[in-house]
């Protein structure tokens, strides 16, 4: 069975600082994709970044980047120059056989 | 706006009742996924449809059922409701069923069972 684990229920960071959110996963799939989704207070789920597991290069989207360690099954999200609008719940997810599995989330609060 | 439409946005009902949640996927998307998010919890996968066919089932209760219609919209039926069914129910869609792409989420249907 696929599992996605986020071990940090809550984190906080000062505005303009950098923060890293952790995620580990377990899958028997040979080809899969990994995702970070953001859920702000509005509850809308928004894709932050996506990583194709067969690609060694870490994905980057503006201030968001990942550290993908395939052997360790680790997929962390780094947010640089944190902004107040980054305050949200962040979910790590992995694709598997006909479904996407989500972690339990990390609540991130950016402090002014 | 993700392009995924869910109705109703809010629903309050009593235990033992039955409700239907509706989802219209993005234009062109063939896959529809349903997720349940209880208060401040993660997303629990319920069920997935691809072009009208059920593809995968997750932790969906027997009291719950779903279907995807020929026009690709989907409905999630919840019956014999219990207090614990109170949650935010998300529908998401994607272009294909190969799980490579982004899931586009609706705004969710918040169900409150009293």
């Amino acid at each position: 069975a696929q599992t996605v684990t986020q071990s940090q229920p809550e984190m906080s960071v000062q505005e303009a600082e950098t923060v890293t959110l952790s995620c580990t996963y377990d899958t028997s799939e040979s080809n899969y994709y990994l995702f970070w989704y953001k859920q702000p207070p509005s509850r809308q789920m928004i894709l932050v970044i996506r990583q194709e597991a067969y690609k060694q290069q870490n994905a980057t989207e503006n201030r968001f980047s990942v550290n993908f360690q395939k052997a360790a099954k680790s997929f962390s999200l780094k947010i640089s120059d944190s902004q107040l609008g980054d305050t949200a719940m962040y979910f790590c997810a992995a694709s598997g056989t006909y479904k996407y599995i989500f972690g339990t989330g990390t609540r991130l609060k950016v402090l002014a | 706006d993700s392009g995924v439409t869910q109705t109703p946005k809010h629903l309050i009902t009593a235990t033992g009742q039955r409700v239907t949640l509706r989802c219209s996927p993005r234009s062109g998307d063939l896959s529809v996924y349903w997720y349940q998010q209880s208060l401040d919890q993660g997303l629990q996968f319920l069920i997935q449809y691809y072009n009208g066919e059920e593809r995968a089932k997750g932790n969906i209760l027997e009291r719950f059922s779903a279907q995807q219609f020929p026009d690709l919209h989907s409905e999630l039926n919840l019956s014999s409701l219990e207090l614990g069914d109170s949650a935010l129910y998300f529908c998401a869609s994607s272009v294909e069923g190969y799980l490579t792409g982004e899931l586009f989420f609706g705004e969710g249907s918040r169900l409150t069972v009293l």
Side-chain angles (χ1 to χ4, degrees), chain B residues 41-78:
Chain B
Q41 298 296 310
L43 279 75
Q44 295 294 318
F45 171 69
L46 297 178
I47 199 164
Q48 187 229 352
Y49 284 86
Y50 176 75
N51 202 20
E53 292 187 11
E54 181 185 304
R55 277 285 183 91
K57 263 186 175 181
N59 299 322
I60 187 167
L61 301 171
E62 286 192 10
R63 301 183 286 108
F64 296 1
S65 64
Q67 55 183 325
Q68 185 180 30
F69 295 87
D71 67 352
L72 301 178
H73 91 272
S74 178
E75 292 180 358
L76 178 66
N77 300 296
L78 316 175

Side-chain angles (χ1 to χ4, degrees), chain A residues 42-61:
Chain A
S42 67
R43 297 291 185 177
Q44 178 72 52
M45 295 287 289
I46 303 164
L47 179 68
V48 174
I49 198 163
R50 181 182 79 164
Q51 173 78 41
E52 298 167 64
Y54 63 86
K55 286 190 175 179
Q56 295 282 11
Q57 187 173 6
N58 289 324
T60 299
E61 288 287 342

Side-chain angles (χ1 to χ4, degrees), chain A residues 33 35 37 39 43-45 47 50 89 91 95-104 107, chain B residues 33 35 37 40-43 45 48 55-56 88 90 99-103 105-107 110:
Chain A
Y33 291 71
F35 307 82
Y37 276 85
Q39 186 181 41
R43 297 291 185 177
Q44 178 72 52
M45 295 287 289
L47 179 68
R50 181 182 79 164
M89 195 77 162
F91 291 99
S95 66
T97 306
Y98 302 128
K99 57 189 173 185
Y100 296 74
I101 302 300
F102 286 78
T104 52
R107 185 179 301 282
Chain B
Y33 304 77
Y35 286 86
Q37 185 180 28
D40 290 333
Q41 298 296 310
L43 279 75
F45 171 69
Q48 187 229 352
R55 277 285 183 91
L88 189 57
F90 280 109
L99 304 177
T100 62
E102 177 181 355
L103 277 182
F105 283 83
E107 294 182 349
R110 180 170 295 283

Side-chain angles (χ1 to χ4, degrees), chain A residues 5-69:
Chain A
T5 302
Q6 294 179 250
S7 58
Q8 305 154 312
E10 293 187 3
M11 295 187 73
S12 62
V13 62
Q14 289 294 135
E15 198 175 6
E17 297 295 309
T18 296
V19 64
T20 298
L21 281 58
S22 301
C23 172
T24 58
Y25 63 93
D26 192 14
T27 181
S28 57
E29 303 284 339
S30 56
N31 189 22
Y32 55 92
Y33 291 71
L34 299 165
F35 307 82
W36 278 97
Y37 276 85
K38 168 184 177 180
Q39 186 181 41
S42 67
R43 297 291 185 177
Q44 178 72 52
M45 295 287 289
I46 303 164
L47 179 68
V48 174
I49 198 163
R50 181 182 79 164
Q51 173 78 41
E52 298 167 64
Y54 63 86
K55 286 190 175 179
Q56 295 282 11
Q57 187 173 6
N58 289 324
T60 299
E61 288 287 342
N62 301 313
R63 298 183 295 108
F64 299 88
S65 62
V66 298
N67 183 5
F68 174 46
Q69 302 289 328

